[in-house]
Amino acid sequence: MKGKLYGIGVGPGDPELLTLKAKRLIEECDIVAVPVKKEGEDSVALNIAKGAVKIPEEKIQEIVFTMVKDKTKREACRQAAAEEIMKLLDEGKSIAMLALGDIGIYSTYAYVHKRLLKEGYDVEMVSGIPSFCAGASKAGISIVEGNEGFGVIPSLKGIDQVEKTLGVFDNLVIMKVGSHVKEVYDLLVERGMENNALIISNVGMDGEYVGPLIPDREYGYFTTMIIKSEM
């Protein structure tokens, strides 16, 4: 019989936020698949999981997903990754593929899931806690209340993206915003909203910062901003 693939969200950083289901499946599966940009790369998702689960090194299988700008090369790499996983499933192996945060929010796993589902393989997504939810809880604020709505956008591709989204939603979450914080700050100053933003950086990891937007502070890759219409 063919094996089953589980896409597992490991949460934002704190191993204690790993769900019981995620822990059980990582322990039970034959292989723990770890997405990396290149072979031998340190994996944040794997390190989080190791904080809650004992994972023998022989169970770990790196799966390369290149981040080059060439779309054709990225697609070819994703297809190769899917084929590598299908081969293991054909051998009857069960696989837990790890992803930061929640498995359905900007997850590398999605590229494999769609392909395997189309080919008739047994796949399952296991939810994890998103960084913006964990960070909001640490800050003691709610993301939405009452009849409010909120939007989630990826790392900034232009300040007009923020302007448009703020015009639609009451509150806004910008993920991986680290290198664009000053741009967003200037926009918020124009709107008189500079005190309505919260920064969540490296939540649950070393160098964690959860607090107000400080425009001249340096922020890392894992930085999210929450903008609220009212604080």
Side-chain angles (χ1 to χ4, degrees):
M1 291 180 64
K2 291 181 179 180
K4 181 173 180 177
L5 173 66
Y6 299 90
I8 298 179
V10 300
D14 184 350
E16 289 189 329
L17 295 181
L18 194 74
T19 67
L20 291 173
K21 184 171 184 177
K23 181 179 183 297
R24 175 178 62 80
L25 288 171
I26 292 170
E27 289 172 337
E28 292 178 354
C29 283
D30 300 308
I31 294 172
V32 176
V34 182
V36 292
K37 293 189 289 293
K38 60 182 180 180
E39 291 183 5
E41 180 186 52
D42 190 47
S43 167
V44 176
L46 177 61
N47 289 336
I48 292 169
K50 282 183 173 180
V53 188
K54 289 184 179 179
I55 307 174
E57 288 300 314
E58 60 267 22
K59 283 182 61 169
I60 299 170
Q61 177 80 39
E62 292 182 342
I63 306 293
V64 176
F65 289 87
T66 183
M67 299 298 286
V68 297
K69 292 183 178 180
D70 189 313
K71 186 176 180 180
T72 302
K73 290 182 179 178
R74 289 201 311 271
E75 282 299 310
C77 187
R78 291 166 184 171
Q79 183 59 35
E83 289 174 1
E84 184 177 354
I85 289 173
M86 284 188 281
K87 182 180 178 181
L88 293 169
L89 293 173
D90 289 342
E91 294 172 0
K93 306 289 188 182
S94 57
I95 303 174
M97 184 170 173
L98 309 184
L100 274 173
D102 179 73
I103 198 66
I105 300 178
Y106 301 120
S107 169
T108 302
Y109 169 78
Y111 304 124
V112 169
H113 182 90
K114 293 176 183 177
R115 286 169 166 81
L116 269 65
L117 200 60
K118 187 176 179 180
E119 294 295 328
Y121 285 85
D122 193 4
V123 293
E124 181 179 338
M125 297 172 71
V126 180
S127 184
I129 297 175
S131 60
F132 56 85
C133 291
S137 295
K138 282 206 168 193
I141 67 166
S142 57
I143 297 175
V144 282
E145 298 177 26
N147 294 321
E148 291 179 336
F150 80 103
V152 180
I153 60 175
S155 56
L156 197 58
K157 295 180 180 177
I159 199 66
D160 58 323
Q161 183 184 35
V162 179
E163 287 187 281
K164 290 175 183 177
T165 315
L166 279 174
V168 175
F169 296 100
D170 302 291
N171 306 321
L172 179 62
V173 173
I174 310 174
M175 301 189 71
K176 297 178 182 175
V177 71
S179 59
H180 304 284
V181 168
K182 184 62 168 61
E183 294 174 68
V184 181
Y185 176 77
D186 291 341
L187 171 65
L188 294 177
V189 168
E190 291 176 11
R191 293 176 170 235
M193 295 177 64
E194 64 269 25
N195 296 320
N196 291 36
L198 174 76
I199 291 288
I200 301 162
S201 186
N202 289 356
V203 63
M205 307 177 194
D206 292 339
E208 176 182 278
Y209 173 78
V210 178
L213 189 166
I214 302 172
D216 55 357
R217 187 183 189 279
E218 287 191 13
Y219 299 97
Y221 180 74
F222 298 112
T223 299
T224 295
M225 184 186 298
I226 300 175
I227 304 170
K228 300 199 65 171
S229 54
E230 294 182 10
M231 288 292 279

